[in-house]
Amino acid sequence: MTAGESSGSVVRRILLGSQLRRLRESRGITREAAGYSIRASESKISRMELGRVSFKARDVEDLLTLYGVTDGAERDSLLALAREANLAGWWHSFGDVLPGWFQTYVGLEGAASLIRIYEVQFVHGLLQTESYANAVVSRGIPQATGAEVDRRVALRLERQKILVSERAPHFHAVLDEAALRRPYGDRGVMRGQLQHLIDISERENVTLQVMPFNFGGHAGESGAFTLLRFPESDLSDLVYLEQLTSALYLDKREEVTQYERVMDRLQEDCPSPSDTRDVLRGLLQLI
């Protein structure tokens, strides 16, 4: 199974969940009632509708019956979507070091056609060198064994392959200058990371900008976030907000729009991608 196919399974899971939600709401059925019909809780229905869990064929069949879907072709189509949604992604082999709440994001990241991020603490994972990633993981999880650190770094490097794949998304990153000045690893690690940013920013599908200290206060005051857009017209844009032990996925149009406006302002207020490379070269000379 290729990374693209496994990422597609996440998209199918979310598509199926959204379709089940629309069917339920069109019938005026509560999540509690839907959960009762499949011998599950209201929270289980919520997770299904958000595409956070796998789907049992029996549960989908019972929900379709409850929602009045009797057309054979429509039922077969949705059940086929459930089977495809349950395909395991490549990242499942990293289950020993990959939190369950992050697995959905990895799949969505791999399926996106546009990824826009703002990062303030450190260089974003898709842009990290192996040595820098090793330093970030070691600092962030001091109790991790050497083997665990290696596995987490390997996962990060595997994720980065989407930027050079045939179906590479457009990746637009805004990094706060703080992320570039905060040292992870020794001077050699930081020099290598800055040079990598200069090099990768030359790729056609990568746009990199730095928000400099001297700009002062800016639109990204709420902290780091990720915006994801997908080629599938039925899949809404998403905002991903990572927390210490979980994550939030926002898909309400009004919420996504607010983050889009912040990202637009950040991009407008930052030096251009070309000028950003000059900023990076300047920082490189200081190390």
Side-chain angles (χ1 to χ4, degrees), residues 52-73:
R52 306 284 176 78
V53 293
S54 58
F55 292 88
K56 295 180 180 178
R58 179 182 174 184
D59 288 345
V60 175
E61 289 175 348
D62 288 348
L63 288 174
L64 293 178
T65 299
L66 177 66
Y67 301 157
V69 179
T70 58
D71 179 76

Side-chain angles (χ1 to χ4, degrees), residues 4-24:
E5 289 169 339
S6 57
S7 297
S9 68
V10 175
V11 171
R12 294 183 186 98
R13 197 164 66 226
I14 293 175
L15 286 172
L16 176 59
S18 65
Q19 290 187 48
L20 290 175
R21 180 179 63 185
R22 285 196 293 269
L23 288 169
R24 177 181 60 77

Side-chain angles (χ1 to χ4, degrees), residues 2-160:
T2 67
E5 289 169 339
S6 57
S7 297
S9 68
V10 175
V11 171
R12 294 183 186 98
R13 197 164 66 226
I14 293 175
L15 286 172
L16 176 59
S18 65
Q19 290 187 48
L20 290 175
R21 180 179 63 185
R22 285 196 293 269
L23 288 169
R24 177 181 60 77
E25 291 176 344
S26 70
R27 289 281 177 166
I29 297 172
T30 65
R31 288 195 182 97
E32 182 179 8
Y36 182 80
S37 73
I38 62 169
R39 303 153 298 281
S41 64
E42 178 181 354
S43 62
K44 171 70 176 294
I45 295 297
S46 178
R47 291 194 298 274
M48 290 175 66
E49 292 181 349
L50 291 171
R52 306 284 176 78
V53 293
S54 58
F55 292 88
K56 295 180 180 178
R58 179 182 174 184
D59 288 345
V60 175
E61 289 175 348
D62 288 348
L63 288 174
L64 293 178
T65 299
L66 177 66
Y67 301 157
V69 179
T70 58
D71 179 76
E74 185 177 2
R75 289 178 69 93
D76 289 345
S77 175
L78 291 170
L79 287 169
L81 191 59
R83 289 192 295 271
E84 295 168 358
N86 287 334
L87 295 174
W90 62 264
W91 54 89
H92 283 250
S93 63
F94 289 92
D96 55 324
V97 294
L98 183 63
W101 53 266
F102 192 57
Q103 292 185 22
T104 297
Y105 174 76
V106 174
L108 291 172
E109 181 182 73
S113 58
L114 173 64
I115 303 173
R116 303 169 76 191
I117 68 98
Y118 170 64
E119 185 59 75
V120 63
Q121 175 68 17
F122 38 62
V123 173
H124 189 271
L126 292 183
L127 299 174
Q128 294 178 6
T129 65
E130 183 174 359
S131 297
Y132 183 92
N134 192 291
V136 170
V137 173
S138 298
R139 183 83 59 83
I141 313 176
Q143 73 276 16
T145 65
E148 290 172 341
V149 171
D150 289 345
R151 289 279 288 160
R152 290 178 183 275
V153 172
L155 169 63
R156 196 158 299 182
L157 297 178
E158 188 68 27
R159 285 171 53 206
Q160 293 177 5

Side-chain angles (χ1 to χ4, degrees), residues 176-184 190 194 213 282-283 286-287:
D176 195 280
E177 186 176 340
L180 304 177
R181 289 188 175 270
R182 183 174 292 107
Y184 281 94
M190 290 303 297
L194 288 171
F213 283 149
L283 290 172
L286 296 176
I287 298 178

